[in-house]
Amino acid sequence: METTDDRLPDLMRRATETLEPRYPDLVERGMQRGVVRRRRRRVVSTAATAAVVAITIGGIAAVQANLGQHAGQPPVAGISTPTPKPSPKVSTKPVPLPPASPAQTLQTLKALLPAGLSTSGDKTWGDDFIAVGLLVDDGKGKAWLEVSVQTVKYDPDCINQPESQNCQVRPDGTVLRSYVGSDGEGTLNSVILEYPDRRAISLTSTNSLALKTPATRPEPPLSIDQLLEMVDNNSWSFPSANYGKNLNR
């Protein structure tokens, strides 16, 4: 007699012989799982890309912040950044002044006078040189002041010069002489500057109304230091080498 345990395998086989697998259902569910997985991969990929972009933008912003408010923006792809043109070079060579004239020399003299001086009685003269003079008053009495400019041969050193003239040769070859003296009647302060290119200028301040006249005040109104500051100014113009006559004097 067969037992239940002996018949169970046969019963299970017969029960499953008429069953057919639901292939469409299996395929549909498999496709759905594939769609879900692809969507998940796209989400993950998009999130990763966004993170990379955010990190890049943050890095650029940090660099620009370190460079300051006026740092240039990063170049746009496909657009070339124009190369800045170099600024034109400005010449530092001084522009030569026009040849001197009596009127221009007088104007320069007045412009270089220390503040607080009044002027009057200006004059001009000279043949192969230009000389101008005027009376100046600092409130202690009028006194004569004159300047001469010329282009002549000059003494390039201080050999055989009197010690009273305080002669010195500058590194550029310019010879400077200054002295306090007397013209027989009054006292005068004088400065002479001679350049290697033959330009020469002298400036004299007296304590009288003219050279070789009695003194009208104790001291000249302009000191040696004041005269030196004036004569050493680059505002002076000089006559040409063939100015006037008696060029061989």
Side-chain angles (χ1 to χ4, degrees):
M1 183 176 180
E2 294 181 353
T3 63
T4 303
D5 292 337
D6 295 331
R7 297 178 60 190
L8 182 61
D10 183 65
L11 292 174
M12 291 183 65
R13 179 178 57 77
R14 292 180 180 181
T16 56
E17 282 181 352
T18 59
L19 294 178
E20 295 182 0
R22 299 177 62 184
Y23 291 110
D25 181 66
L26 293 175
V27 172
E28 182 179 357
R29 281 183 291 173
M31 292 178 65
Q32 288 178 352
R33 285 197 298 271
V35 171
V36 171
R37 290 178 179 177
R38 286 195 295 273
R39 287 178 179 175
R40 288 178 179 174
R41 284 198 296 269
R42 283 199 296 267
V43 171
V44 172
S45 176
T46 302
T49 302
V52 172
V53 172
I55 293 172
T56 303
I57 294 176
I60 294 174
V63 172
Q64 290 181 342
N66 290 333
L67 292 177
Q69 292 182 347
H70 302 289
Q73 297 298 320
V76 179
I79 301 177
S80 60
T81 303
T83 302
K85 296 181 180 180
S87 301
K89 294 183 179 180
V90 179
S91 175
T92 57
K93 185 177 181 180
V95 178
L97 297 172
S101 67
Q104 183 270 338
T105 303
L106 178 61
Q107 181 180 5
T108 302
L109 175 62
K110 290 182 177 180
L112 294 178
L113 287 174
L117 292 178
S118 60
T119 63
S120 61
D122 50 87
K123 298 179 181 179
T124 64
W125 68 96
D127 43 29
D128 63 337
F129 64 96
I130 295 175
V132 301
L134 46 76
L135 293 170
V136 298
D137 191 350
D138 58 358
K140 300 178 182 179
K142 295 180 179 181
W144 183 250
L145 173 68
E146 70 177 43
V147 62
S148 69
V149 290
Q150 53 190 327
T151 303
V152 296
K153 293 181 180 180
Y154 90 116
D155 186 355
D157 54 48
C158 293
I159 299 175
N160 300 323
Q161 295 294 326
E163 293 183 2
S164 61
Q165 290 198 8
N166 299 313
C167 182
Q168 58 177 298
V169 180
R170 293 177 171 177
D172 64 353
T174 303
V175 178
L176 173 65
R177 299 179 179 87
S178 62
Y179 60 93
V180 176
S182 172
D183 60 2
E185 295 285 345
T187 302
L188 55 83
N189 295 330
S190 186
V191 172
I192 301 172
L193 198 60
E194 295 177 300
Y195 295 93
D197 60 3
R198 299 176 60 198
R199 294 175 299 150
I201 178 172
S202 66
L203 190 58
T204 301
S205 177
T206 74
N207 64 342
S208 56
L209 299 181
L211 290 175
K212 299 181 180 180
T213 60
T216 55
R217 47 180 292 156
E219 300 292 338
L222 296 177
S223 66
I224 290 292
D225 289 341
Q226 289 175 310
L227 294 176
L228 178 58
E229 184 176 355
M230 293 173 61
V231 81
D232 217 10
N233 192 282
N234 58 10
S235 299
W236 297 102
S237 291
F238 295 83
S240 58
N242 59 355
Y243 181 86
K245 55 183 180 179
N246 301 326
L247 298 179
N248 295 323
R249 287 196 332 179

